[in-house]
Amino acid sequence: MDMELTQIESSYSELQAQVEGKVIAPADAGYDEARLAWNRKVEQHPAVIVVAKTAQDVAAAVSFARQHDLGVAVQGTGHGNVRPADDCLLILTQEMNQVTINPTDQTAYVAAGVKWGAVLAAAQQHGLAPLLGSSPMVGVVGYTLGGGLGWLARKYGLSADNVVAFELVTADGQLRTASEDENPDLFWGLRGGGGSLGIVTSLIIRLFPVTEVYAGNLFYPASMAQEVFRRYRDWIADAPDELTSSVLIMNFPPIPDLPEFLRGQSFAIVRGCYCGDLGEGEALLHYWRDWQPPLVDDFKTIPFSAAATISSDPVDPMPAANSGAWLRELSDAAIDAIVTYALGMDGSSPLTFAEVRHAGGAIRRVAAATAVYGNREAELVLSLVGVTPTPEAYQQLAAYIGQLNEALRPSLTGGVYMNFLEGTESQQRVRDGLASGGYERLARLKAQVDPENRLRYSFNVPAAH
Ligand SMILES: Cc1cc2nc3c(=O)[nH]c(=O)nc-3n(C[C@H](O)[C@H](O)[C@H](O)COP(=O)(O)OP(=O)(O)OC[C@H]3O[C@@H](n4cnc5c(N)ncnc54)[C@H](O)[C@@H]3O)c2cc1C
């Protein structure tokens, strides 16, 4: 045993000699901190961790894993863990944090560990905006590999649809480019296929001329939730692409950090962002303001640099479980199920929120064959989130969501949006997140670039034989 330990330790020091970043073994002092994911529900014990600084570090780490027959996992932030990085080599990308804006091309070069907030801040200085989601703390790469649905999505599309090129290290340790012209198969499979084809070291993304938006939230009493959801259904029926919006039930936790009127309270909320003419955005809100005065109305013109205030997602790490699915429609029965389960039969629910986001627009105008991302024709995606501090709380929430799904069954398309899943569900439902035939084509690509399925910790697609 001691002999084995010495061998492993000496191989780690060989790896350390090959990388600029840091190699952290289980016996090292920083190990327990380094293996944390933002989502504290994730418990993972990698065989070794590499905090990469460069693409060459990533290549050296992947080659090391191949030599030692280890699987390879990668984490940018740990917001979207699919499978805990147990007994494998875990690459952390947080120190690969370069962002360079090219204002002439309206693109950004983004290294693997960059969070959206950094791209937003840099791009806004040039009057440009990236296609981030609701939280600037989320990583550009993980979000984009899963699709990437943000507040500009209906106008400009998914983040995945606006990648110019990826640089990645494949399982053989080679650094490659994937774009329309180079390795187009990999380019197809990275846009919506998660990290199954390689470790992305950087990407070039398109930016858009958005500096101010008309955005915010309308809060209505929870008792009006069914009416609000039905009215929302009519509002978005012919909404312009400039409007990306959602409707949700929010159960604010009873925590002291929240203002008293929110603490422990539930609301039906209409949320959105209009990225066209600001006056036209304001005019769209008459539909609500002329109907019932909301309890809270913070829809107003905001700089897009403040996009995080639209959803005010949690910033600090927390243990959370996510689920969701594409909906065919918001029928009265579907609304009834969502509202009833989100608020809870007896006035309490394990869900923190249940949000229906409006997709479609530019997303569905991209041909299905362009990328492996699926479900483009579906326009409504349900996102369910609950705080799960213990395994028991997680089990309870999972069972509850199972019941909600049963009640919703007639309105589910059968498709899922992979970015809104995590854990077991995201291991099991990869096929349902991809374009038709996409899973099989990805499996054939895996046979070429990763026949041993070393990269099985993101969306897991075993190689076809
Ligand atoms: C608070 C919050 C808000 C969110 N809002 C939105 C939203 O508005 N829209 C939306 O679409 N999604 C949203 N998401 C979901 C989010 O996009 C996913 O969780 C995404 O996977 C997170 O990416 P990450 O890199 O931050 O996380 P990580 O957990 O680090 O990575 C997520 C996945 O990507 C893989 N990955 C990460 N880096 C690489 C790499 N360099 N190469 C290959 N694979 C890699 C990982 O292996 C993992 O499978 C939100 C999530 C949270 C927690």
Side-chain angles (χ1 to χ4, degrees):
M1 175 66 197
D2 281 348
M3 177 73 175
E4 255 177 46
L5 204 62
T6 318
Q7 272 173 2
I8 293 171
E9 278 167 1
S10 77
S11 67
Y12 291 162
S13 47
E14 271 167 42
L15 176 59
Q16 181 63 78
Q18 291 167 31
V19 297
E20 256 184 66
K22 199 162 181 218
V23 176
I24 305 173
D28 293 341
Y31 178 80
D32 280 333
E33 168 111 37
R35 67 185 178 83
L36 291 173
W38 181 87
N39 188 340
R40 293 291 197 254
K41 178 168 81 65
V42 177
E43 256 299 319
Q44 51 190 7
H45 292 88
V48 59
I49 299 172
V50 178
V51 186
K53 276 208 164 32
T54 63
Q56 287 67 32
D57 282 2
V58 173
V62 171
S63 298
F64 178 89
R66 208 178 64 246
Q67 283 154 23
H68 295 269
D69 197 22
L70 290 169
V72 182
V74 53
Q75 180 174 297
T77 68
H79 275 75
N81 187 284
V82 173
R83 175 177 167 188
D86 286 326
D87 306 321
C88 63
L89 183 147
L90 171 63
I91 298 172
L92 298 180
T93 59
Q94 72 243 13
E95 293 191 8
M96 298 172 71
N97 47 24
Q98 188 190 337
V99 178
T100 310
I101 306 297
N102 182 332
T104 315
D105 290 358
Q106 304 203 337
T107 58
Y109 166 92
V110 181
V114 172
K115 296 179 197 164
W116 276 117
V119 189
L120 179 62
Q124 286 281 278
Q125 289 181 19
H126 300 276
L128 296 168
L131 300 182
L132 77 162
S134 56
S135 166
M137 305 295 290
V138 163
V140 173
V141 174
Y143 169 93
T144 301
L145 293 174
L149 183 65
W151 287 121
L152 304 177
R154 285 174 41 79
K155 176 73 178 169
Y156 298 114
L158 296 168
S159 179
D161 289 335
N162 288 286
V163 177
V164 177
F166 294 93
E167 186 191 60
L168 70 153
V169 171
T170 40
D172 55 5
Q174 294 299 307
L175 190 59
R176 296 170 203 261
T177 300
S179 66
E180 259 171 40
D181 304 323
E182 252 180 285
N183 294 305
D185 275 357
L186 294 179
F187 191 51
W188 168 87
L190 286 163
R191 289 173 297 154
S196 57
L197 295 175
I199 310 295
V200 173
T201 53
S202 68
L203 69 181
I204 296 174
I205 53 172
R206 286 188 204 103
L207 303 172
F208 299 90
V210 178
T211 51
E212 284 190 317
V213 291
Y214 197 77
N217 292 262
L218 305 173
F219 284 43
Y220 289 96
S223 58
M224 289 177 67
Q226 302 235 10
E227 270 175 281
V228 171
F229 270 65
R230 284 200 293 267
R231 196 168 171 81
Y232 176 81
R233 172 179 65 197
D234 299 341
W235 190 47
I236 60 168
D238 52 7
D241 289 351
E242 284 76 13
L243 178 68
T244 300
S245 66
S246 72
V247 65
L248 64 147
I249 300 289
M250 180 78 199
N251 300 314
F252 286 100
I255 52 172
D257 315 13
L258 287 171
E260 197 176 334
F261 79 100
L262 297 179
R263 209 178 297 155
Q265 300 298 312
S266 298
F267 299 91
I269 300 176
V270 177
R271 179 173 281 173
C273 175
Y274 187 86
C275 63
D277 175 84
L278 298 169
E280 283 171 22
E282 183 178 11
L284 278 173
L285 266 292
H286 288 315
Y287 176 88
W288 294 100
R289 289 170 172 154
D290 296 348
W291 174 59
Q292 295 273 351
L295 299 171
V296 175
D297 177 352
D298 74 353
F299 256 97
K300 57 183 183 293
T301 298
I302 60 166
F304 195 66
S305 55
T309 60
I310 303 172
S311 293
S312 300
D313 279 341
V315 172
D316 294 332
M318 59 189 297
N322 311 327
S323 183
W326 287 103
L327 297 170
R328 205 185 304 285
E329 81 256 298
L330 262 182
S331 64
D332 287 352
I335 290 173
D336 187 44
I338 294 168
V339 168
T340 306
Y341 277 85
L343 290 173
M345 268 54 96
D346 57 1
S348 86
S349 162
L351 288 165
T352 304
F353 69 78
E355 179 171 24
V356 177
R357 293 207 200 178
H358 187 202
I363 299 169
R364 63 181 300 171
R365 284 196 293 274
V366 173
T370 309
V372 70
Y373 178 84
N375 302 292
R376 287 183 184 276
E377 65 302 336
E379 296 220 344
L380 297 166
V381 64
L382 177 64
S383 165
L384 303 168
V385 175
V387 180
T388 53
T390 61
E392 294 71 33
Y394 174 67
Q395 293 306 336
Q396 193 207 348
L397 180 67
Y400 195 76
I401 289 173
Q403 289 167 20
L404 168 56
N405 280 333
E406 268 317 305
L408 273 176
R409 188 139 325 268
S411 296
L412 299 176
T413 67
V416 292
Y417 177 44
M418 288 300 287
N419 270 2
F420 286 171
L421 309 185
E422 46 77 44
T424 316
E425 203 180 10
S426 59
Q427 291 160 32
Q428 293 168 343
R429 299 211 59 192
V430 179
R431 198 183 284 268
D432 301 327
L434 305 181
S436 168
Y439 186 89
E440 292 72 16
R441 184 171 161 195
L442 260 192
R444 290 195 296 277
L445 267 174
K446 283 283 283 190
Q448 291 168 27
V449 296
D450 184 16
E452 289 159 319
N453 197 12
R454 220 167 272 297
L455 309 185
R456 54 185 178 269
Y457 293 82
S458 180
F459 303 0
N460 180 23
V461 182
H465 289 294

